[in-house]
């Protein structure tokens, strides 16, 4: 039985839905990036034994990596229930989990107060953060993708993607303001808690907006169709994860390959660059940080433009521009940084992030259009989050190790180029999804229906 295609959401309602997704992703990335900054600034001293600073620093960054490890689990759990219960419910839960964990970090007793219990509690809360972020992305982009029509889906779905640079700007800005206003002693004593506690206020605002939007009409139609099939005695639907692996395993692999260059290049450009510019080139941390901040602002601005271009040219061509561009930019990227000026560093970072945006912007619509409605949350989340463990999580560590072993940027550039080649192959194997009817995708992969392209 073919379900009627849901009517497009009115522009006013769609803008509210975009705002709900954007503020949620901004808050969650704010929380995620805030932890990384605090791990470098104070956590090694406050939560781990001070007798060995090196061990404390390593353990501090280990808890940071734990957040990445928990993201695939969040993708599995949130994907399953998001495909069964709806996108909105799970988005509210992910925001509560992330915001609650971040707020709780601001209240944690330190090692000096409770001893070894402090780092254990910190690690548990970091796991909750990663778990929540693993489920946030899929729901946020699907809520927008499934409300809009196909003609401008790339543009509207790219707005939740701007939450990453927006969250990074917000987290870095708050920390920079506090470090400028407070003495080192005051910041270490209580100032570091303020950004974490501020998350509680942001979550209240985010919940107020998210609770005001309606569930995806495409999901409602798919759920109604599933209930009709069940009432008619048709084959019982498989678990979303099982259905994804059966019908969409190729699309999952494409999504994972597509994220390699996007994820690796992002953390090299924004995270590893702080190490390279300060230790190898001799620039100050503030200079490197300012370049990343300005580049992130430009990144925020160009993502919707790339998304709109994907509506005109297609998801694959725009994604390929980003993958090829990032790979080609790596050698000029390091040559510019080696010049040792703020202007050359800013140019290197900004161009790199603009090219990264060509991959990141169409990604939301591209991945959404690959999967059937009743398995879309699971498919998009699994493809996106499982690859982040292999790509984004180790990227700064691999780049740092290559620099330590070879003392030169060439192996790092080759590392990113290899990731770009992998992404080019993945996109070449993908089908173009622009103008896809998300309701029609449901019919092509429904139980008992003939499986179409890409299934």
């Amino acid at each position: 039985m073919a379900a009627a295609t849901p009517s497009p959401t009115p522009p006013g309602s769609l803008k509210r839905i975009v705002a709900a997704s954007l503020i949620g992703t901004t808050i969650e990335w704010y929380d995620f990036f805030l932890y990384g900054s605090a791990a470098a600034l104070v956590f090694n001293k406050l939560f781990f034994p001070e007798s060995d600073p090196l061990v404390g620093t390593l353990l501090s960054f280990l808890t940071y990596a734990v957040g990445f490890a928990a993201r695939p689990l969040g993708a599995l759990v949130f994907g399953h229930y998001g495909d069964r219960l709806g996108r909105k419910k799970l988005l509210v839960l992910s925001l509560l989990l992330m915001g609650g964990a971040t707020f709780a970090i601001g209240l944690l007793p330190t090692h000096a107060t409770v001893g070894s219990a402090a780092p254990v509690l910190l690690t548990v809360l970091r796991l909750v953060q990663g778990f929540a972020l693993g489920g946030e992305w899929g729901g946020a982009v699907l809520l927008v993708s499934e409300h809009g029509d196909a003609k401008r889906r790339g543009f509207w779905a790219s707005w939740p993607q701007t939450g990453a640079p927006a969250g990074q700007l917000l987290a870095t800005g708050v920390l920079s303001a506090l470090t400028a206003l407070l003495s080192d002693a005051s910041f270490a004593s209580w100032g570091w808690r303020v950004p974490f506690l501020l998350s509680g206020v942001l979550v209240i605002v985010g919940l107020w907006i998210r609770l005001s939007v309606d569930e995806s009409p495409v999901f409602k139609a798919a759920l109604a169709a599933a209930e009709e099939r069940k009432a008619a005695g048709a084959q019982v639907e498989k678990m979303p994860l099982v259905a994804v692996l059966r019908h969409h395993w190729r699309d999952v692999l494409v999504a994972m390959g597509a994220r390699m260059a996007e994820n690796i290049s992002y953390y090299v450009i924004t995270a590893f660059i702080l190490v390279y510019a300060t230790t190898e080139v001799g620039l100050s941390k503030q200079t490197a940080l300012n370049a990343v901040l300005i580049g992130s602002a430009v990144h925020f601005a160009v993502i919707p433009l790339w998304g709109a271009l994907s509506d005109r040219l297609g998801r694959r061509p725009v994604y390929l521009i980003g993958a090829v561009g990032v790979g080609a930019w790596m050698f000029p990227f390091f040559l510019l940084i080696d010049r040792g000026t703020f202007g050359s560093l800013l140019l290197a970072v900004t161009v790199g992030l603009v090219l990264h945006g060509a991959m990141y912007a169409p990604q939301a619509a591209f991945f959404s259009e690959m999967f059937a409605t009743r398995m879309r949350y699971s498919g998009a989340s699994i493809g996106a989050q499982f690859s982040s463990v292999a790509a984004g999580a180790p990227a700064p560590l691999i780049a740092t190790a290559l620099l330590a072993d070879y003392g030169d940027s060439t192996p790092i550039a080759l590392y990113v180029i290899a990731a770009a080649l992998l992404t080019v192959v993945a996109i070449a194997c993908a089908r173009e999804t622009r103008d896809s009817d998300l309701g029609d995708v449901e019919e092509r992969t429904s139980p008992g229906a003939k499986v179409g392209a890409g299934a």
Side-chain angles (χ1 to χ4, degrees), residues 390-406:
L397 297 175
I398 291 174
T400 302
L402 290 172
L403 181 62
D405 288 344
Y406 295 95

